[in-house]
């Protein structure tokens, strides 16, 4: 075999991934440092990993704050990471550190989902895996699931979905699915947090080629999973939660789509409460990249307040 020919790049979607003629996939921009499950020495937050489905290699990272009362029930956060559906994971330092911080500050249990990533697994694999993970969480409602942390400490009547960028897109779609099915077995989704959500637009743009490539079975401009504010926005009315908190960033190229989603949700006939918070002068997922800056701390406080509202 001609090695130079087999190493030829046949598709490149910078800054996410490139594909070589021999089938190799190279992720261009990714946090390759992974963090093992542990006990955080500063906060006492514990983490552990578990496999949800051997068939799909679906796994989650569980986070639990320092427990002082063994009978206490805590809100449950199901978090879906971003990365254009194709990079990052719950095990990267970026997401491990963010979830550790959030779990400590909000005093919640968190389940961070490792869905199958594109391009090896085109969409809708990420949606299907995330829904499977949520149903796995629901299997613990009666205290008879496989994970003791969820059996003993999760308050399933105070469940939240959250995500950033592509993960926020997935979280939205999971809330839609929860609102249109009865498949959650006693899990009540109270609220959804969408940080700098990735949504499509009605016309082609710089994001379109990668989404068209990793979601080849749909017309992305009309598909409500990618463009919920377009295509009539009909599915927004079935959003299966009572409250939504949306964050947008002033310098983010996705900022206007988050605003359009907010406006479409208000018009949709959905009966919940939605709030949008804009951070001026910041770019996409700045709160993950610079978590200790003052604006990121304000954003963290807002998420903590949203989760603990009425608690």
């Amino acid at each position: 075999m001609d090695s130079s020919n087999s190493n030829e790049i046949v598709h490149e979607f910078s800054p996410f991934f490139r594909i070589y003629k021999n089938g190799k996939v190279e992720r261009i921009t990714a946090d390759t440092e992974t963090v093992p499950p542990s006990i955080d020495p500063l906060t006492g937050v514990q983490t552990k990993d578990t496999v949800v489905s051997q068939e799909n290699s679906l796994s989650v990272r569980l986070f639990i704050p320092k427990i002082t009362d063994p009978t206490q029930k805590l809100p449950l956060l199901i978090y879906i990471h971003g990365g254009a559906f194709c990079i990052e994971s719950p095990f990267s330092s970026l997401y491990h550190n963010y979830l550790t911080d959030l779990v400590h500050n909000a005093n919640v249990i968190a389940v961070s989902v490792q869905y199958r990533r594109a391009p090896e697994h085109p969409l809708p694999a990420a949606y299907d895996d995330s829904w499977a993970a949520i149903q796995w969480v629901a299997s613990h409602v009666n205290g008879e699931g496989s994970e003791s942390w969820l059996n003993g400490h999760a308050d399933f009547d105070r469940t939240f979905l959250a995500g950033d960028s592509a993960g926020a897109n997935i979280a939205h779609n999971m809330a839609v699915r929860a609102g249109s099915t009865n498949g959650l077995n006693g899990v009540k989704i109270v609220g959804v947090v969408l940080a700098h959500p990735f949504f499509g637009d009605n016309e082609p743009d710089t994001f379109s080629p990668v989404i068209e490539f990793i979601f080849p079975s749909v017309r992305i401009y009309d598909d409500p999973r990618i463009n919920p504010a377009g295509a009539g926005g009909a599915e927004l009315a079935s959003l299966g939660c009572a409250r939504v908190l949306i964050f947008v960033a002033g310098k983010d190229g996705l900022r206007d789509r988050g605003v359009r989603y907010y406006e479409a949700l208000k018009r949709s006939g959905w009966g919940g409460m939605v709030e949008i918070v804009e951070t001026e002068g910041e770019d996409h997922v700045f709160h993950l990249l610079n978590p200790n800056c003052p604006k990121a701390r304000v954003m963290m406080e807002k998420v903590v307040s949203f989760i603990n509202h009425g608690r």
Side-chain angles (χ1 to χ4, degrees):
M1 177 182 290
D2 183 346
S3 61
S4 62
N5 186 52
S6 66
N7 288 327
E8 177 187 347
I9 296 172
V10 292
H11 298 286
E12 178 160 350
F13 297 101
S14 184
F16 304 118
F17 62 87
R18 59 177 64 99
I19 301 176
Y20 293 86
K21 192 170 185 178
N22 64 6
K24 174 186 173 184
V25 174
E26 179 185 3
R27 287 177 168 81
I28 303 169
T29 303
D31 184 356
T32 56
E33 177 190 359
T34 59
V35 178
S38 61
I39 300 177
D40 182 64
L42 295 179
T43 63
V45 171
Q46 294 186 59
T47 53
K48 65 177 173 179
D49 300 335
T50 191
V51 175
V52 173
S53 169
Q54 293 281 0
E55 179 182 358
N56 294 333
S57 300
L58 174 59
S59 61
V60 297
R61 174 157 288 183
L62 299 163
F63 296 74
I64 192 167
K66 188 174 182 179
I67 298 295
T68 56
D69 178 359
T71 66
Q72 185 181 12
K73 296 290 187 177
L74 302 174
L76 173 62
L77 174 68
I78 301 172
Y79 193 89
I80 305 170
H81 71 83
F85 304 101
C86 58
I87 60 174
E88 292 294 348
S89 81
F91 319 119
S92 72
S93 58
L94 194 73
Y95 285 100
H96 177 90
N97 294 339
Y98 175 73
L99 266 295
T100 297
D101 194 16
L102 178 55
V103 165
H104 170 66
N105 283 284
N107 200 35
V108 299
I109 293 178
V111 178
S112 188
V113 180
Q114 169 67 331
Y115 51 83
R116 286 173 295 168
R117 300 178 302 180
E120 297 93 332
H121 304 283
L123 291 172
Y127 299 127
D128 295 339
D129 286 357
S130 298
W131 183 247
I134 292 171
Q135 291 185 306
W136 173 82
V137 168
S139 72
H140 295 77
V141 165
N142 295 324
E144 299 175 354
S146 59
E147 282 299 329
S148 59
W149 289 357
L150 297 178
N151 289 334
H153 297 289
D155 183 348
F156 295 97
D157 285 333
R158 291 185 293 164
T159 299
F160 294 82
L161 298 177
D164 65 277
S165 195
N169 172 295
I170 298 172
H172 155 77
N173 279 285
M174 297 304 98
V176 168
R177 194 176 296 195
S180 58
T181 70
N182 295 316
L184 288 186
N185 187 32
V187 173
K188 180 180 180 181
I189 299 175
V190 177
V192 177
V193 180
L194 307 178
H196 309 162
F198 168 78
F199 292 125
D201 209 344
N202 294 329
E203 301 292 336
D205 58 30
T206 56
F207 300 101
S208 299
V210 65
I211 301 301
E212 290 176 335
F213 186 82
I214 66 174
F215 205 175
S217 61
V218 303
R219 177 178 162 82
I220 62 172
Y221 314 106
D222 299 330
D223 192 282
R225 290 167 291 186
I226 297 296
N227 185 14
E235 288 193 354
L236 291 171
S238 64
L239 205 64
C241 62
R243 294 186 287 130
V244 174
L245 174 61
I246 306 164
F247 291 98
V248 295
K251 292 184 176 180
D252 186 0
L254 297 173
R255 180 253 179 211
D256 291 349
R257 301 178 194 193
V259 173
R260 195 160 67 98
Y261 173 89
Y262 164 74
E263 293 171 344
L265 184 56
K266 286 199 301 181
R267 295 193 305 265
S268 69
W270 172 68
M273 297 180 62
V274 58
E275 178 182 3
I276 190 167
V277 177
E278 179 168 359
T279 307
E280 297 286 353
E282 296 292 347
D283 211 331
H284 193 62
V285 298
F286 77 92
H287 63 295
L288 298 176
L289 302 173
N290 190 12
N292 293 317
C293 74
K295 291 179 181 178
R297 299 320 298 174
V298 169
M299 191 168 166
M300 173 65 73
E301 291 168 4
K302 189 72 178 177
V303 174
V304 170
S305 176
F306 181 80
I307 291 173
N308 288 311
H309 174 77
R311 186 171 171 182

